[in-house]
């Protein structure tokens, strides 16, 4: 079973709709992240959370919100989707200590299309 | 603020030829450096990482990278490229307690 899962894997929606992307992990990591990938732009950080009570904005948080429901779950919401939010979205996790310190483990991605 | 530059957007190499992908970072202290690979339609997989110690690090799939502090570089190399290496490659940097900052990526094409 995958350590980091994302649902849905693909979603097509219309402008103005509210969308939630979900991420779950079984790695036991405290830290979770949401990234957006656009061709030629690499990965841009949307939000991150270092523990259940900690939420931080990334470089492109406008138009997005997040919820950290539990250590293992981190959801990303688009309150009112717009076409330029069409992108590939990745969730990632990392540990805060040990041999894998700072190494991020990625989910398979969610491809979102906003019409 | 940290930043990562991957100067080459797209590189094409012949199968069996050597490969070097460039990465330059901007960060004041000793960084944590990573190379990830993304195959078409897939998520990101870690190739290798540098935290400290030996500046030449070995990774999976026959890749290696060398940390050069004087040049602020962490270039990725492979002596002989296989067709399955065609993918997008991302360099990333982090400090002790901040999320990774990624470069914009280099797309590698492999021709016969």
């Amino acid at each position: 079973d995958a350590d980091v899962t994302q649902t849905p894997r693909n979603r097509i929606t219309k402008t103005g709709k509210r969308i939630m992307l979900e991420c779950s992990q079984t790695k036991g990591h405290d830290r979770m992240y949401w990234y957006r990938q656009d061709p030629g732009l690499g990965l841009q950080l949307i939000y991150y959370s270092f523990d259940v009570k900690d939420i931080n904005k990334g470089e492109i948080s406008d138009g997005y919100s997040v919820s950290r429901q539990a250590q293992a779950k981190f959801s990303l919401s688009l309150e009112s989707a717009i076409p330029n939010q069409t992108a590939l979205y990745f969730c990632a996790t990392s540990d805060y200590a040990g041999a894998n310190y700072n190494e991020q483990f990625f989910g398979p991605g969610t491809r979102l299309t906003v019409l | 603020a940290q930043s990562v530059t991957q100067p080459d957007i797209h590189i094409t190499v012949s199968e069996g030829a050597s490969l070097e992908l460039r990465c330059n970072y901007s960060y004041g202290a000793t960084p944590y450096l990573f190379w990830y690979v993304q195959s078409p339609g897939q998520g990101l997989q870690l190739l290798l990482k540098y935290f400290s110690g030996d500046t030449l690090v070995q990774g999976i799939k026959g890749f290696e990278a060398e940390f050069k502090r004087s040049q602020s570089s962490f270039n990725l190399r492979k002596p002989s490229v296989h067709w399955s290496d065609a993918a997008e490659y991302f360099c990333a940097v982090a400090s002790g307690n901040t999320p990774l900052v990624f470069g914009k990526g280099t797309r590698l094409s492999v021709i016969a």
Side-chain angles (χ1 to χ4, degrees):
Chain A
D1 289 338
D3 295 319
V4 185
T5 57
Q6 294 183 233
T7 55
R9 295 292 312 278
N10 288 283
R11 181 72 184 268
I12 299 173
T13 190
K14 295 182 178 180
T15 297
K17 295 291 187 181
R18 185 178 188 275
I19 297 297
M20 179 179 286
L21 309 182
E22 299 186 343
C23 177
S24 296
Q25 53 113 346
T26 58
K27 299 192 72 68
H29 290 166
D30 285 326
R31 300 182 170 189
M32 298 187 73
Y33 311 82
W34 275 105
Y35 290 92
R36 166 180 172 157
Q37 185 181 24
D38 297 278
L41 295 181
L43 278 77
Q44 297 174 280
L45 183 64
I46 306 173
Y47 271 96
Y48 63 101
S49 169
F50 279 179
D51 64 43
V52 175
K53 297 181 181 180
D54 176 75
I55 300 290
N56 304 281
K57 292 182 177 180
E59 56 187 308
I60 57 161
S61 58
D62 287 349
Y64 302 93
S65 62
V66 291
S67 173
R68 185 81 185 267
Q69 302 94 323
Q71 185 205 40
K73 296 185 181 296
F74 192 36
S75 299
L76 175 72
S77 293
L78 288 67
E79 299 302 326
S80 179
I82 56 177
N84 77 359
Q85 292 177 313
T86 293
L88 186 57
Y89 290 85
F90 285 104
C91 175
T93 74
S94 70
D95 204 351
Y96 68 93
N100 293 325
Y101 179 53
N102 258 341
E103 176 184 342
Q104 292 190 4
F105 296 83
F106 284 82
T110 294
R111 185 166 297 281
L112 177 66
T113 302
V114 183
L115 302 176
Chain B
Q2 303 160 66
S3 66
V4 177
T5 301
Q6 294 181 246
D8 303 305
I9 296 173
H10 183 208
I11 286 180
T12 300
V13 300
S14 299
E15 192 169 16
S18 64
L19 170 70
E20 182 169 26
L21 302 182
R22 296 182 291 165
C23 173
N24 294 97
Y25 67 90
S26 173
Y27 181 63
T30 299
Y32 295 84
L33 294 160
F34 304 82
W35 275 99
Y36 283 84
V37 60
Q38 183 182 26
S39 298
Q42 304 294 314
L44 277 75
Q45 180 184 22
L46 181 72
L47 283 176
L48 46 79
K49 59 189 177 185
Y50 172 78
F51 287 176
S52 64
D54 192 346
T55 57
L56 184 63
V57 294
Q58 303 297 321
I60 62 171
K61 305 184 180 185
F63 285 92
E64 66 178 27
E66 186 171 10
F67 170 58
K68 292 186 177 181
R69 183 189 302 276
S70 62
Q71 298 176 18
S72 297
S73 69
F74 189 56
N75 294 349
L76 182 71
R77 301 194 293 250
K78 187 170 184 177
S80 178
V81 170
H82 187 262
W83 63 267
S84 61
D85 292 324
E88 187 141 23
Y89 292 80
F90 294 95
C91 182
V93 63
S95 68
N97 207 33
T98 63
L100 297 186
V101 174
F102 285 84
K104 296 187 186 306
T106 297
R107 184 162 61 92
L108 174 65
S109 297
V110 180
I111 57 176

